[in-house]
Amino acid sequence: MAERLQFHEVLRAELQELCGSDLEKEALAPRGSTESQSQYEQRILHAAERSGTTALCLSGGGIRSATFALGVMQGLARFGLLNRFHYLSSVSGGGYIASWLTAWRHCADDQSVREGLNVAVETGREAQQITGIRADSNYLTPQLGLFSADTWTVVALYVRNLLLNWMLFVPFFMGCLMLPRLCAAVLNCLHRGKFTAMCSLLSTVTGEQVCADGWFDIARLLGAAAALIGLSFSVYGRFRRAGNWLTDSRFRITVLLPLVASGALLTIAATVVTDPDIPLYGGAGWGAVVYLLAWALGRLSSRSRTDPSERQIEWVDVFWWMVSGAVVGTLATVEMQIIAASLPPGRAGAIVPAAVTLGLSGFVTAYLVGELLYVGLASFSRKGNMDREWLARSSGWLVAAAVTWLILSAAALYAPDGLQQMHRLSAWIVTAAGGLSGLATLLLGSSGLTAATKAAQLVKSVPLMRLTSAAAVIFAILLSAGLALLNQQLELALRHALRSHATAAGAPALLQSVAQSGAAVVFIDALLGVGLIALAFILSRFININRFSMHALYRNRLVRAFLGAARGSARKTADPFTGFDPKDDLKLAQLTPRSNPGRLFHVINTALNVVSSGNRAWQERKAESFTMTRLHCGCDNPAVGYRPTLLYGGDGGLSLGTAMAISGAAVSPNQGYNSSPLVSFLLMLFNVRLGWWLGNPRDAVTYKREGPVFSLSPALRELAGETRDDFRYIYLSDGGHFENLGLYEMIRRRCRLIVVSDAGCDPHCTFEDLGNAVRKVFIDFGVSIEFNKLEIRERQNPPVPGMRFAVGSIRYPGSAVPGWLLYLKPTYQGTERADIRSYASASPDFPHESTTDQWFSESQLESYRALGATIAEFVCSGGAGVGPGENPADLTLEELETVVNDLLRGPVRAHWQTAP
């Protein structure tokens, strides 16, 4: 079994592959026995700095970025620069064309690739690899038209996958909505007007006398015991200081769950009490005693793990804690009196839903009031702010539990009758509103206008985010109401079937007795709730969460358009009906270049979503960088690590197509810093997701699997935004959800010279992606990137010539030799070729048309490609450009640095253009 690796081991392997012969053997030697781990890591980083590695970064931006980057690569290849880069780092749309180049280099030697990139300049005929990209510029639906086979294939695939996903979600949500109905049925059975009949039935079944006396005391005692457990763990967590013990998940299990159970048991006690006049002083005494015992148990258990300065008991705090308990007991008693008095014989059916809806939430709210009172009374406690913060977080969970139960039970118990009582026209209006709200969420929630970075929110997306969130709430409410109505009809149908069998001739007496009692409803509701949830889990074993998302649809078409094109004339085995060829998509670990394996080492950047991460410093990021290469896949996080690509993600490892599609999974419920909880719910529900679940490299079992064995658990995590890096499975999406230039990982690898092609959608030149990358590399690595002139301007009307590039200086910590960064960005000057100017005149948004446009026309694709080539040739030629028939001399990357630095001082005439 391969060991899990950390980043310095991965970097060591890459350096051996890329420039091992140029470094001393000692620089990349394994860790010595006398060498500390930190010394070893520093030695590898210093070796990376001395190696002088270089990188070409291709940004995200869909098909726009891919075609612009194609032109940039052609321009670099024309000057002999493309194959001089050690690394090829790609994100999202840049990964389309980078993967195309990687696949082409696997099939042909570098000289043939270079000649193929610019063969049209000399012969007038393009290489088949480029012609194939032009043929599939509309890669999602190559054949356009409402009645084309491609269009309806996409529709059929989406509908099929949506229905399969609903086979998981609908039974599960229906089962959850059965819980309040089950509680209502139980309370109806336990109500004192029917309790005697139930006891008689139990006596008949068991053959022993069962009476109602004492059930109130038993239920109240169990409720007090549950409260004692939860409060004891709460006190223990507040005072324990040694070790990271009471996390959010443990708090929910050890504190919140017992308190909720206590509320349910007290609701039952109020239902079965035979005397509604429960004395208040008794409740106050019960509360004070329970709180005192909880304090004693929690403090005694945590004493050995408490800071010595806090071991002294402050008896004033204990007194106020008991007072708070007395108030909680009094409030609970008052609520029990209200419930008991509201359930007279004969009218219980109308009151029970209210008792279910408000009862448990009311008791949980009583515990909340107790915490608030204690915080106020003990405000001068020596524990001070930290204790108040702890109790505030605890109160937050209590509020969440109370509100969640209130909404769930209201939807389950009141929504069905509300829908049935509506006039038919009103019902149609409600249905239409639900459909429109869902459609609004899908269209706006998956658009680039709802980015959740703070800058984007302040500038452009607050109104859209609010609109999308409101639409998601409306749709979720109406969906819950519809499923609750379906639950009600199923319950009525099963009750009718049971009664029909009970009244049939020869039916057993016991069946007749059960069918006429409230126990029948309890049995039916329990059967439905458990059965529906069990059905969802069983189906999740067979319905793979990865295979039946939109990812497969997206990946297959990307593979056909780009990896298929890379094979050129070798692509002869495609299915004549579908156009797909299984040989197009090779395993990532097998993609060794045919020549010069030490160059253009492809690093595919994705985002590991940590939307619910406990790291508060990542509340805006909500993601980590996760890379895939032909050697290793993983993340530089000790909790994740790296695994060999050959073993990661299934038999033979991930394929290039899968890695490319994950890196471009822009539309996803969990999408790094773009994540929104309400929008995530609807996007997941409607299967609008391109992300991919894989095993966590830290887990010795799951990292070898293609995905989760049971789909329901990860699906619910994705739906609720509960993605983390410490689960057995992790959720990967578009690399742009973390960093959209591919620059972050190249800085981590200490590259000395970096060229960045940034074709992200940035019409106003706010440099959001560049700023995001510069900020993160400084925070995470202490590396500063400073630009001398960042004067690239947005398109003007009429066009105004300006800068097409920028140069930055990279300062690595502890290094006296600065790195160099060349930044290229699509700009329109009005001096470009006639075909580019023609297209720009027809499209005012060029060269920053929306990323949602993934259906490029021939003129659109060529305009972006030609613009990329023009800018690259302009920079490499020192501002002179390359005209038809001109054959520029090859440059080294060091010469490129000199040419560009000279260009900053003014354009020069290239030597091959100078007259002899």
Side-chain angles (χ1 to χ4, degrees), residues 466-514:
R466 289 176 178 172
L467 176 61
T468 306
S469 298
V473 170
I474 293 171
F475 187 84
I477 292 173
L478 295 176
L479 177 65
S480 300
L483 294 180
L485 178 61
L486 186 56
N487 275 345
Q488 185 191 62
Q489 298 305 309
L490 281 174
E491 178 192 294
L492 292 175
L494 290 177
R495 289 173 64 182
H496 177 72
L498 180 62
R499 288 175 180 173
S500 298
H501 284 82
T503 56
L510 178 60
L511 180 60
Q512 296 180 27
S513 179
V514 169

Side-chain angles (χ1 to χ4, degrees), residues 73-86:
M73 290 194 302
Q74 287 179 305
L76 293 173
R78 197 167 184 185
F79 284 82
L81 290 169
L82 182 60
N83 293 332
R84 297 185 186 275
F85 292 99
H86 294 92

Side-chain angles (χ1 to χ4, degrees), residues 140-141 148-160 553 557 560 577-578 580:
L140 291 175
T141 53
S148 75
D150 285 333
T151 300
W152 285 102
T153 299
V154 169
V155 172
L157 283 173
Y158 173 75
V159 172
R160 181 197 69 185
L553 181 154
R557 282 147 185 79
R560 177 177 61 186
F577 184 64
T578 64
F580 293 106

Side-chain angles (χ1 to χ4, degrees), residues 787-841:
F787 288 88
N788 183 21
K789 292 182 179 180
L790 191 58
E791 298 177 354
I792 302 173
R793 308 297 183 189
E794 62 181 294
R795 175 177 171 176
Q796 304 293 320
N797 190 19
V800 177
M803 294 293 290
R804 300 181 176 186
F805 68 98
V807 172
S809 178
I810 307 172
R811 302 286 179 178
Y812 289 111
S815 175
V817 181
W820 187 77
L821 187 149
L822 172 61
Y823 177 74
L824 306 178
K825 194 174 184 69
T827 58
Y828 179 63
Q829 311 282 333
T831 59
E832 288 79 5
R833 290 177 2 187
D835 57 339
I836 300 176
R837 294 164 65 182
S838 173
Y839 181 81
S841 298

Side-chain angles (χ1 to χ4, degrees), residues 345-406:
R347 293 196 293 117
I351 303 299
V352 162
V356 171
T357 303
L358 301 175
L360 188 147
S361 296
F363 287 115
V364 173
T365 303
Y367 293 118
L368 172 63
V369 171
E371 286 195 357
L372 297 177
L373 180 64
Y374 172 75
V375 169
L377 293 175
S379 60
F380 295 100
S381 169
R382 184 165 53 84
K383 285 182 65 63
N385 289 331
M386 294 301 99
D387 195 41
R388 286 191 288 274
E389 285 290 340
W390 199 100
L391 291 169
R393 190 173 185 85
S394 172
S395 298
W397 276 112
L398 291 175
V399 171
V403 172
T404 300
W405 178 256
L406 192 68

Side-chain angles (χ1 to χ4, degrees), residues 617-754:
W618 292 351
Q619 290 181 87
E620 182 182 11
R621 296 187 182 189
K622 300 179 182 178
E624 303 173 48
S625 175
F626 189 100
T627 59
M628 301 174 181
T629 71
R630 55 185 168 86
L631 296 182
H632 299 97
C633 295
C635 170
D636 184 21
N637 180 339
V640 181
Y642 294 82
R643 294 284 184 176
T645 302
L646 184 63
L647 304 175
Y648 186 67
D651 186 23
L654 291 171
S655 70
L656 176 61
T658 297
M660 171 180 61
I662 294 173
S663 178
V667 181
S668 173
N670 292 261
Q671 42 190 311
Y673 58 73
N674 294 322
S675 300
S676 168
L678 289 172
V679 175
S680 296
F681 176 83
L682 268 296
L683 293 180
M684 180 64 191
L685 191 64
F686 279 93
N687 203 29
V688 183
R689 54 192 184 90
L690 298 175
W692 196 258
W693 285 91
L694 283 169
N696 193 327
R698 69 179 291 182
D699 192 287
V701 176
T702 62
Y703 84 89
K704 296 181 179 180
R705 296 174 179 168
E706 292 184 23
V709 175
F710 287 91
S711 295
L712 187 59
S713 177
L716 293 175
R717 292 189 184 280
E718 188 175 350
L719 182 145
E722 285 287 327
T723 50
R724 298 173 62 97
D725 57 9
D726 54 0
F727 293 147
R728 298 190 71 194
Y729 292 95
I730 54 177
Y731 185 70
L732 304 178
S733 66
D734 194 311
H737 296 157
F738 176 78
E739 192 271 306
N740 200 41
L741 300 183
L743 178 61
Y744 182 89
E745 287 293 335
M746 298 301 100
I747 295 294
R748 190 201 297 275
R749 286 162 169 78
R750 295 293 200 269
C751 291
R752 199 201 70 82
L753 187 149
I754 303 174

